[in-house]
């Protein structure tokens, strides 16, 4: 039958996953870092996913498609709600509570991470922990190069990490939505001295401008030998 159904422009899709979360029928999923319409018969044609997309990658078309199958959607939902034998998927969002501890010489240092996931690509645009957060946006390599990264940077922050050279996405789009839609108090960028790491700094600068908000921010540059090269 000919009916109205969504289509996803793969060139515009940044892989944020917001549309998949907004699709209550489960018609949209992620594959190879991009959103995909998995089943025509799961798409009701109402377009709840359209306003969720930050890049305008989703639109309506009229084409030959299977009719919307509400019974199949409900059955799939019921099956999905059953607990998985291996626990929650690794990208499920969750807060991590930390308790203040007294430092003891030679005792193992505890993690200061306060939320999951940490990858910019996987992080939800809206989450409770963003409310009033000090945001840390760090290049992947910084935590390996700088020995005391948890205590000096992650502590007291909500952490997002990424590598602009390895991830074929524009971080600025996702970061703009996070800053625009949440009460972010400040932003700290931690990057390496290597030129390609400038991409993560540029993404944050662009996001701050596009968000329309005035938020204090600073940049810390880590040298490849693990020392702090510059604070701006």
């Amino acid at each position: 039958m000919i009916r109205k159904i969504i289509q996803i422009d793969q060139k515009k899709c940044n892989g944020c996953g917001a549309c998949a979360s907004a699709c209550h029928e489960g018609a949209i999923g992620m594959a190879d870092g991009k959103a995909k319409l998995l089943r025509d018969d799961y798409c009701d044609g109402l377009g709840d996913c359209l306003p969720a997309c930050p890049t305008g990658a989703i639109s309506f078309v009229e084409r030959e498609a299977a009719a919307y199958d509400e019974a199949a959607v409900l059955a799939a939902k019921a099956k999905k709600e059953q607990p998985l034998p291996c626990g929650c998927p690794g990208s499920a969002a969750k807060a991590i509570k930390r308790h203040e501890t007294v430092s003891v010489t030679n005792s193992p240092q505890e993690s200061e991470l306060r939320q999951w996931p940490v990858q910019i690509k996987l992080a939800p645009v809206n989450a409770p922990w963003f409310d009033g957060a000090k945001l840390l946006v760090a290049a992947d390599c910084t935590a390996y190069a700088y020995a005391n990264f948890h205590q000096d940077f992650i502590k007291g922050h909500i952490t997002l990490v990424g590598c602009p050279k390895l991830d074929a996405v524009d971080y600025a789009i996702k970061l703009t939505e996070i800053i625009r839609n949440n009460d972010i108090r400040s932003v700290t960028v931690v990057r390496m001295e290597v030129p390609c790491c400038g991409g993560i700094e540029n993404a944050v600068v662009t996001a701050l401008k596009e968000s329309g908000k005035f938020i204090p921010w600073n940049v810390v540059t880590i040298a490849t030998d693990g020392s702090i090269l510059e604070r701006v």
Side-chain angles (χ1 to χ4, degrees):
M1 64 181 294
I2 302 294
R3 70 179 183 96
K4 185 170 71 173
I5 195 167
I6 66 151
Q7 71 173 3
I8 303 171
D9 186 332
Q10 295 297 294
K11 292 182 179 179
K12 291 183 179 179
C13 177
N14 70 350
C16 70
C19 59
S21 298
C23 179
H24 305 299
E25 290 72 32
I28 301 175
M30 305 303 295
D32 299 324
K34 298 282 187 176
K36 305 281 187 182
L37 178 58
L38 302 178
R39 290 183 55 157
D40 287 0
D41 59 339
Y42 279 17
C43 178
D44 60 8
L46 297 179
D48 288 344
C49 54
L50 268 71
C53 179
T55 65
I58 305 176
S59 59
F60 280 124
V61 295
E62 287 194 2
R63 63 170 174 82
E64 182 71 32
Y68 173 59
D69 190 341
E70 184 177 10
V73 169
L74 293 175
K77 283 184 178 180
K79 184 177 181 180
K80 189 175 181 179
E81 288 171 358
Q82 295 178 357
L84 298 174
C86 59
C88 296
S91 60
K94 63 178 179 180
I96 303 172
K97 293 183 179 181
R98 300 292 180 195
H99 301 284
E100 292 294 330
T101 57
V102 178
S103 178
V104 179
T105 303
N106 296 326
S107 65
Q109 181 173 305
E110 293 189 358
S111 172
E112 294 292 344
L113 193 64
R114 300 172 62 188
Q115 101 289 340
W116 185 267
V118 295
Q119 287 289 337
I120 298 172
K121 289 172 62 177
L122 300 178
V125 171
N126 296 103
W129 56 72
F130 283 131
D131 187 28
K134 294 180 180 180
L135 187 63
L136 170 67
V137 182
D140 286 345
C141 297
T142 55
Y144 293 95
Y146 188 78
N148 212 34
F149 196 82
H150 274 251
Q151 288 295 321
D152 290 358
F153 294 113
I154 294 181
K155 188 174 183 179
H157 291 76
I158 293 301
T159 303
L160 297 177
V161 303
C163 176
K165 188 170 185 178
L166 299 180
D167 288 340
V169 297
D170 184 358
Y171 291 145
I173 297 172
K174 183 74 167 286
L175 292 172
T176 298
E177 293 303 306
I178 290 174
I179 294 171
R180 179 184 291 153
N181 295 319
N182 298 280
D183 178 25
I184 303 297
R185 292 168 54 193
S186 65
V187 181
T188 296
V189 181
V190 183
R191 54 163 293 185
M192 297 299 297
E193 64 175 319
V194 295
C196 59
C197 229
I200 204 158
E201 179 179 346
N202 292 336
V204 171
V205 171
T206 300
L208 288 167
K209 291 178 180 178
E210 294 296 323
S211 71
K213 294 183 177 182
F214 179 77
I215 298 173
W217 66 285
N218 68 298
V219 180
V220 180
T221 302
I222 307 296
T224 52
D225 64 3
S227 61
I228 293 179
L229 191 64
E230 183 180 30
R231 290 181 184 267
V232 179

